[in-house]
Amino acid sequence: MTPHDLRMAMKGNTIMSKTLRRRVAAAVALTASAALLLAGCAGGGADPASSEGGGSGEGSDQRIRLAMLQPPQSALSPFSDDASKLSRWSAGEGLVRLNEELEIEPLLATEWEQTDDLTWVFTIREGVTFHDGSELDAAAVQNTIEQAGAAEPAPRVLRGVTLDAEATGDLEVTITTDVPDPLLLNRLASAQMSIFSEAAYAEDGTVDPVGTLTGPFELIELAGTTTATLDRYEDYWGETAQAAGIDVSFVPDGAARAAALRSGEADVAETVPVSQAGLLDETMAFEVQQSRTTYLALNTESGPFTDPALRAAAYAAIDPQVIVDTIYEGRADVAEGLIGPAIPWAADLRGDVEPTAEPADVEGVEIVLAAYTDRAELPEIAVRLEEQLEAAGFVVTQDVREYINMEDELLSGGFDSAIISRNVLLDTGDPLSFEAADFTCEGGFNITRLCDAGVDELVAAGQPLPVGADRQQATMDIEAAIMQLGAAVPIAHDRVVQGEAGTWVDVVRDPLERRLITEFTRPAE
């Protein structure tokens, strides 16, 4: 029997029990509401982390139409960047999550304790069911962690640490790390560590998210790279979702996303390009400060930019202010370094970010400049960068495509330079982890192909540090080392425009890009 067959069988066997539970829930709605009010004293009452028991109240019969920026790259595998979509749709949930203050709060785990340098004990929330009807228990959590650890390639969020999980009770999981890990909770808060039912995992290593998660919305169907359909999960452990479901369209073209919003074909549009934001009614465009940096990655492994003096020349040739003024129309901040103003301590700790090499004469040096179309501003930036680089003497050839069609070449060093947009808090909510992923020898997203012993030593020294002042300083020391080598030219720190038609309220405007539609997103009155 395939995982899909098993899941369908389990669903068939649980239809009657689900119906009974719904009737019971409706009969005790007043009692449940009172309990939720009491539970909310510590957490605000409107947060699933502070809600207990099955869903209460009745939601709308309306559905949210969502236009998203980037199609799935890996069929929504939790071990890839696709995992963030499951989080933004409130389909997937982890043991814990990060809030807007970058603090850890409970989700599928209600409490935890670190018992020694390597060992953590988590208490699993009682009464949670997966979308296939099976119950969440410690064994399911153990299985998810083991599956993530065995995945090839490993999820980025687990790089640098090995986790061992053991169900030490029906609702207790003990997690042991191979080395002291100050970021364990941050790792577990990543969408890549969403908890799946056993039926999700196939023998070939793939993970099927359809009907196998725990969130207030159940993924019903993924139609390739075009659409996804989610329905309200009536047996959700927290507040029942207000929306009946989410109809997702993947629309890489930014103008098309904005047009869908203007025409009434979309209720929410992710990442409206600056060039289109001005065409929206001002009540539809919401500017969100992002922890996202756009930078020019220079290939330090092969091609012209193996020469530090040529990298310094590229740095000197580029004027980010012009790009912010013209392409972003002022809706961004000029990047002083890789870590932007969304991380409040960065500017005060910033060191020298100028390349140490003297710029070389670049007259006639030929380079290939890559950019992807998924973010509408990047091809426009490419045009400006070509102008600035050619004014300095470079001969520039552009290569602009959808990200899905160039990812392998980007990661393998197939371009001399590439314009990259990166959330520096991706995965762990820790900018030092971004530096490790993008600029170390073993980094999983090292488009610069930088492999420098000094940078690797700084990263290795910084990674064991606990969250706090010392780790912050280490982060900025690493930034300075990367910049002094000229591996990247910072351009802008983004302020993303999120489009909302006004048909729904409580759509989340999240600087972390982890949440968007939640159980509390409701129709406008």
mmCIF file of all heavy atoms in Angstrom, residues 209 217 497:
data_model
loop_
_atom_site.group_PDB
_atom_site.id
_atom_site.type_symbol
_atom_site.label_atom_id
_atom_site.label_comp_id
_atom_site.label_asym_id
_atom_site.label_seq_id
_atom_site.Cartn_x
_atom_site.Cartn_y
_atom_site.Cartn_z
ATOM 1 N N PRO A 209 3.050 16.395 1.553
ATOM 2 C CA PRO A 209 2.402 17.230 2.553
ATOM 3 C C PRO A 209 0.876 17.258 2.449
ATOM 4 O O PRO A 209 0.220 17.892 3.270
ATOM 5 C CB PRO A 209 2.988 18.621 2.258
ATOM 6 C CG PRO A 209 3.205 18.600 0.776
ATOM 7 C CD PRO A 209 3.596 17.184 0.429
ATOM 8 N N PHE A 217 -5.186 24.926 8.418
ATOM 9 C CA PHE A 217 -5.566 24.696 7.023
ATOM 10 C C PHE A 217 -4.903 23.416 6.527
ATOM 11 O O PHE A 217 -3.713 23.187 6.754
ATOM 12 C CB PHE A 217 -5.160 25.880 6.141
ATOM 13 C CG PHE A 217 -5.965 27.126 6.401
ATOM 14 C CD1 PHE A 217 -5.444 28.155 7.172
ATOM 15 C CD2 PHE A 217 -7.251 27.259 5.898
ATOM 16 C CE1 PHE A 217 -6.173 29.296 7.433
ATOM 17 C CE2 PHE A 217 -7.995 28.404 6.152
ATOM 18 C CZ PHE A 217 -7.460 29.426 6.925
ATOM 19 N N VAL A 497 6.364 45.359 -0.471
ATOM 20 C CA VAL A 497 4.978 45.817 -0.557
ATOM 21 C C VAL A 497 4.078 44.592 -0.635
ATOM 22 O O VAL A 497 4.177 43.785 -1.561
ATOM 23 C CB VAL A 497 4.752 46.720 -1.776
ATOM 24 C CG1 VAL A 497 3.271 47.109 -1.883
ATOM 25 C CG2 VAL A 497 5.622 47.972 -1.673
#
